[in-house]
Amino acid sequence: MDDGQTDRSISVSLYQSLGDIAPEVWDACACPETSDGGPPNDPFTTHRFLYALEQSGSVGTGTGWDPRYLVAEIDGQVIAVAPLYAKGHSQGEYIFDHNWAHAYERAGGRYYPKLQIAVPFTPATGRRLLTRPGMEEVGFGALLQGAIQIGAENRLSSLHVTFCTEDEALRGADMGLLHRVTQQFHWRNDGYESFDDFLGSLSSRKRKTMRKERRQAQDFGGTIHQISGDDLRPEHWDAFWQFYQDTGARKWGTPYLTRAFFDLVQETMREDVMLVLAEREGRYVAGALNFIGRDALYGRYWGCTEHHPCLHFEACYYQAIDYAIAHGLATVEAGAQGEHKLARGYMPTETHSLHWIADEGFSGAVANYLEAERRAIEEDIEVLTSYGPFRKANPEEQE
């Protein structure tokens, strides 16, 4: 493959194990900003996170997520990488294409397997086509063209790039891929110095409601802990595993992550984690798992063995806001779905994905659907934003 900018050719290879790619080589593309000794912008595309998924058996044989890591090189130097998977289903993606799959198969096609450039089980926005600094243009094109070529040569139905950045989505659309817009709820730090400072930005009614919820949650009869880094212990993960299993069984039938994944996180990623645990009478009764980025906190999982009023809101949303303010983080991403987050200061935010569909007729039908969906999402975000908890310019609208 020729890069169009230089006489040197680019080779794109597939690897079935991240163990065959040196961590420093992968991370030079995934998180080059860590060369200053700071945390990654996105902890989920680091070698240690993706390899923990693989080593723990959370992805791989029998999971429907078969790794096919993409690596682009020029003259033996890796310039770009991407977490690519062959998918046997559409679970664990959070940008849903189930209706596309059903329509494709009703028309006599075979939708699975498909290709997915994504972080498994992780609805968090970040770069998906990971390039070394200075190689953004050529690396992006090489990876995307390489993935499409793999799909076409193997007669696969489609390629999907989910929770990519808006910039990636626009560049991919310029290359002819379908651009999909969906939404989540994110909290933004407007330079708040404390939680009370944040409350001061809300309408009086919402402020009173939030204070009431926090009082109710903190009166559950125990103590709420924020635990990170070397303060994390195996017993904390033993407790959280019980919470995760309970929530996973109720939501998905079978939890996506294995117990070994959390052991590997303890071993290799504890500095990237903030675990909220609610302790009562010497036992942990609820918890929420967050991952820490350079400028964002990512809420991932919640669970409990005892139900107490508003404890879910406190552990998942308010503790995350507390942490973000204390550590100067700009954003809290609280995961997929959930309009109940709006009343807690998490505002609707666009998320993006890219899609290539081999069948031109079906691709055209999906393009029409995405155009209508985009308009609906834009209207939904506008309406939801108007119902947000923040003070309005007109004082009469504050109550």
Side-chain angles (χ1 to χ4, degrees), residues 34-224:
T34 59
S35 61
D36 68 3
N41 291 331
D42 180 357
F44 303 116
T45 53
T46 61
H47 189 282
R48 57 186 177 272
F49 183 86
L50 295 169
Y51 197 34
L53 291 175
E54 182 185 330
Q55 284 184 300
S56 66
S58 300
V59 301
T61 304
T63 67
W65 289 84
D66 290 326
R68 298 291 189 273
Y69 307 102
L70 276 178
V71 176
E73 299 177 72
I74 294 179
D75 296 338
Q77 181 188 43
V78 173
I79 64 160
V81 298
L84 176 68
Y85 299 85
K87 288 297 307 293
H89 50 63
S90 291
Q91 297 174 20
E93 296 172 11
Y94 301 97
I95 291 179
F96 301 112
D97 64 345
H98 300 294
N99 290 338
W100 304 0
H102 294 158
Y104 197 85
E105 291 175 355
R106 283 198 302 270
R110 184 181 177 214
Y111 195 73
Y112 304 108
K114 62 177 184 176
L115 294 178
Q116 191 95 11
I117 295 177
V119 178
F121 328 122
T122 308
T125 292
R127 290 188 306 130
R128 294 293 173 262
L129 298 143
L130 310 168
T131 60
R132 282 182 177 268
M135 291 290 183
E136 290 83 359
E137 194 70 30
V138 61
F140 182 94
L143 291 173
L144 202 50
Q145 291 172 29
I148 291 171
Q149 184 176 335
I150 291 165
E153 289 177 350
N154 289 277
R155 298 184 179 180
L156 302 182
S157 69
S158 52
L159 165 72
H160 309 266
V161 185
T162 44
F163 291 101
C164 59
T165 66
E166 182 178 13
D167 178 66
E168 287 179 317
L170 295 174
R171 291 167 67 183
D174 286 342
M175 294 174 62
L177 278 76
L178 304 179
H179 175 196
R180 188 175 191 182
V181 177
T182 47
Q183 68 163 310
Q184 288 183 340
F185 293 87
H186 297 173
W187 180 85
R188 305 291 182 186
N189 187 350
D190 192 19
Y192 303 119
E193 295 184 358
S194 65
F195 197 92
D196 280 342
D197 191 19
F198 160 60
L199 288 177
S201 69
L202 308 181
S203 69
S204 61
R205 183 173 59 186
K206 297 298 185 182
R207 185 163 58 246
K208 290 173 185 176
T209 298
M210 228 175 261
R211 283 177 172 152
K212 181 180 178 181
E213 286 186 347
R214 295 208 80 177
R215 283 196 302 270
Q216 283 184 305
Q218 292 170 2
D219 286 344
F220 79 104
T223 305
I224 297 174

Side-chain angles (χ1 to χ4, degrees), residues 289-302:
L289 174 61
N290 302 269
F291 283 84
I292 306 165
R294 179 166 290 223
D295 208 28
L297 187 71
Y298 301 92
R300 289 304 302 113
Y301 300 106
W302 143 268

